[in-house]
Every structure is written in structure tokens, then in C-alpha cells.
Amino acid sequence: MATRDASHAGSWYDDDEKELSSQLDGFLSRVPDQLDDHGLPVPGARVIIAPHAGYSYSGPCAAWAYKALDLRAAKRVFILGPSHTYYLRGCALTTFSKYATPFGDLVVDRNTVNELRETGKFTDIPARRDVDEHSLEMHVPFLWKRLQQTFGDDSTKYPPIVPILVGDGSAEEEKAFGKLLSSYLKDPTTAWIVSSDFCHWGSRFSYRPHFSDGAIRDMDAPRSKGVRHEVLNVTPPDWSKLGISSEEPEIHDVIKVLDQLAMDAVESGEHSEFYKVVQDSHNTVCGRHPIGVIMAALEAVDGKGKFKFVQYQRSNLVKKSFDFSVSYASAYAVV
């Protein structure tokens, strides 16, 4: 069985072990040592949502989730991410036996992968697509760092990983995969990393909501809609309560409102609410399906475990229609 190369090392993050270690240590050190009246890691917080952009962009935000992540009892770690490199319906499993990092290789839990494959519900990630995909890879060095902090320098003691790509799917399909994975979620020795950025705003993403004439409108509505600026099915907030001028909120204010709607829906713990919010707002949350699957799994485990967002950042505060930005958010759930 082959080892998946760290294909984004040297571009999206540093390929030098010492430099990368120093950078990750720096990100984690800037996160407070206590969150929500808990010391970090938060006891029992074995599920996180964290972004997957280049570390110079999303690393400081991702560190909040990783510092909250409780790996002390972990014997395997699931990593769920969206597919950026090919169209995928449903979920797909890695065919690699290891994932390389500048620190060393993390071993894939072949037993669990084979168990999932035998259900007949999963496809395999084409090897080339697996190597090209960043949504899983960007979490492996962060995970290594936290495993090192938890278990020491002997990597043979590190729990294996279960990388899964989560593709397109209806609400019912997400719930089905969530129910399937809930048996693993019930296991207190299993940790979960859910990979997602939030709003991708700009013409390159075909999504440019702005506030105009009392409504939030998308400047890039699909031509099939027959309109130039589609009104999104979301209620504009009371801008004054947000300390924002109601005459002409900045575009980055609109982005924050749309992301807040999505984050509130995640925190509600109701899969159907999150699915509806994303459908109504068209928010370009790239990991909406991995988030949907883990929310469905949490619901299947007697509704235990709700996410708490602890950090929100944007790559740029957009003011002009030709600009762009990507939003990043970090959350944890105690299960």
C-alpha cells in the first residue's frame, strides 16, 4: 500500500520540519489557555470544525479548534473533507495506507476503512485526486502537532486516521451517512476533524451577495434564474443593532451576516436547520456536506453534542464588487 505525498507542502504550508513546527506552535500559543470556563483542550471535545486554506490565511483560525480538541483518549481520528478536485456524490475512502507530512507519516486505519468499504455505501477516492485534494491534507500537520503534544515524540503511539471525502448529497443522503457513522461517533476513543471554509465571496466563486433596496441580493445569480441580482431567501438583520449603517452596509458586513446564519444553524444542533439555511442563502460553505453528515451523526447519537464556535475570521474585508474573500471558522463539540 502506498503513502500519499504531502503534495501541498512547500506551497500551502512550509515543507521544512523545523519551520513548520515553529509556525504551528506560534498559532497555538496565540490561542488563550482557557475557553468557555474550561482549560484547553476542552474535556470531551473530540469533534471539531476547522478551515483548510493555506496556513498563512487560515492557520491562526484553525489553531482555535485544534487547541480545543481533546485527543487524550483517541485511538483513531476521522477526517471528513469536501472534494475540490472532482465531482463526488456521496462519500469516498482513501486507498492509501499512510499520509505523509514534513514531520513523518500518519498511518491510515485500514481496518476501519475496510469496514466502511464493505458496507457498499462508499466509493474509493481516485489516487491522483486524493493527492491533489487539499481539504484532508491541510489538517494532517496540525493533527500531528497536537498528537505530539498529547502523546509525545514516539509517533508509533499516535492513533491512525480515517480520511473520508464527503461529496454532494441531499438532506436524506447526509442523514443516512450520518447514521452509518454514528456507531463510530459513539465510541469515546474516536476523534473527528471536519474540514470546511465558510463563505467564498467574489466573481471567481460566482457568489457576490450585497445589500441593496432593503434586501440581500446576489450579483452573480445563475442565468437560469432570469434575473441579474437574485434576492436571497434570508431576512436582512437590524443593521443598527449590529452597529452598522442601514443605508449601505459594507459587503464584508453582509458576508459576516450570512456566515453567522450558517454558524447559528450549526450551533442549533439541528441538521435540517443547517441544510435549509445553506439552501436559502446559497452560502458557499465548501464543507457544508461534511458538516451536514457530522451533524446528522450527532443527532443520531441521542442528539448529544452541539458545536460551539470559538473563532471567525475573513481573509479580506470586502468593500468593492471586484474584490474577493474566504471566511474561516473554528468550532468544537463535546460528545
Side-chain angles (χ1 to χ4, degrees), residues 28 54 85-86 117 149 167 183 191 196 266 300:
L28 291 164
T85 63
Y86 74 109
R117 184 174 287 117
Q149 292 175 344
S183 62
S196 182
V266 172

Side-chain angles (χ1 to χ4, degrees), residues 309-329:
F309 280 91
V310 293
Q311 187 64 194
Y312 173 73
Q313 299 176 8
R314 285 153 290 177
S315 64
N316 182 36
L317 296 182
V318 175
K319 295 185 177 181
K320 303 295 184 182
S321 62
F322 55 78
D323 215 339
F324 69 93
S325 80
V326 180
S327 303
Y328 313 119

Side-chain angles (χ1 to χ4, degrees), residues 36-47:
D36 303 326
D37 299 323
H38 294 290
L40 298 184
V42 176
R46 53 187 183 86
V47 186

Side-chain angles (χ1 to χ4, degrees), residues 273-295:
E273 176 65 15
F274 176 67
Y275 195 90
K276 181 179 186 302
V277 164
V278 172
Q279 292 293 309
D280 288 348
S281 67
H282 303 171
N283 197 341
T284 45
V285 180
C286 61
R288 58 193 177 276
H289 295 298
I291 293 174
V293 166
I294 197 65
M295 288 185 70

Side-chain angles (χ1 to χ4, degrees), residues 206-238:
S206 299
Y207 187 67
R208 290 185 296 163
H210 69 300
F211 185 73
S212 176
D213 297 329
I216 296 178
R217 305 166 185 270
D218 185 2
M219 289 184 275
D220 290 331
R223 291 182 180 179
S224 60
K225 297 283 186 178
V227 295
R228 286 193 61 192
H229 293 185
E230 178 189 4
V231 176
L232 300 183
N233 187 25
V234 295
T235 302
D238 184 339

Side-chain angles (χ1 to χ4, degrees), residues 48-233:
I48 62 170
I49 297 171
H52 54 233
Y55 285 171
S56 61
Y57 293 99
S58 69
C61 181
W64 286 73
Y66 274 97
K67 196 163 182 177
L69 179 62
D70 188 356
L71 293 166
R72 288 171 289 192
K75 292 185 179 178
R76 67 183 156 193
V77 182
F78 280 73
I79 308 175
L80 276 56
S83 175
H84 296 86
T85 63
Y86 74 109
Y87 179 77
L88 171 66
R89 186 89 189 184
C91 296
L93 302 164
T94 188
T95 60
F96 288 101
S97 61
K98 296 179 181 179
Y99 267 49
T101 81
F103 303 128
D105 299 341
L106 286 182
V107 176
V108 171
D109 186 342
R110 299 306 312 174
N111 290 335
T112 300
V113 168
N114 288 335
E115 282 179 5
L116 293 172
R117 184 174 287 117
E118 287 171 2
T119 67
K121 304 296 185 181
F122 296 79
T123 58
D124 286 339
I125 308 170
R128 184 67 254 170
R129 301 297 190 181
D130 201 336
V131 173
D132 290 343
E133 180 57 59
H134 65 272
S135 74
L136 302 175
E137 178 184 341
M138 297 306 293
H139 290 282
V140 181
F142 248 120
L143 175 59
W144 180 289
K145 171 60 68 174
R146 287 291 293 112
L147 291 173
Q148 185 180 47
Q149 292 175 344
T150 304
F151 297 103
D153 293 332
D154 184 358
S155 62
T156 62
K157 297 180 180 179
Y158 298 172
I161 61 174
V162 183
I164 302 175
L165 284 185
V166 182
D168 200 6
S170 66
E172 291 71 24
E173 289 169 323
E174 288 183 1
K175 287 182 178 180
F177 276 108
K179 184 176 181 180
L180 189 158
L181 293 174
S182 66
S183 62
Y184 297 95
L185 183 62
K186 291 176 183 177
D187 180 356
T189 66
T190 298
W192 299 73
I193 297 165
V194 181
S195 177
S196 182
D197 296 335
F198 274 67
C199 181
H200 297 61
W201 196 100
S203 58
R204 67 177 66 178
F205 307 117
S206 299
Y207 187 67
R208 290 185 296 163
H210 69 300
F211 185 73
S212 176
D213 297 329
I216 296 178
R217 305 166 185 270
D218 185 2
M219 289 184 275
D220 290 331
R223 291 182 180 179
S224 60
K225 297 283 186 178
V227 295
R228 286 193 61 192
H229 293 185
E230 178 189 4
V231 176
L232 300 183
N233 187 25

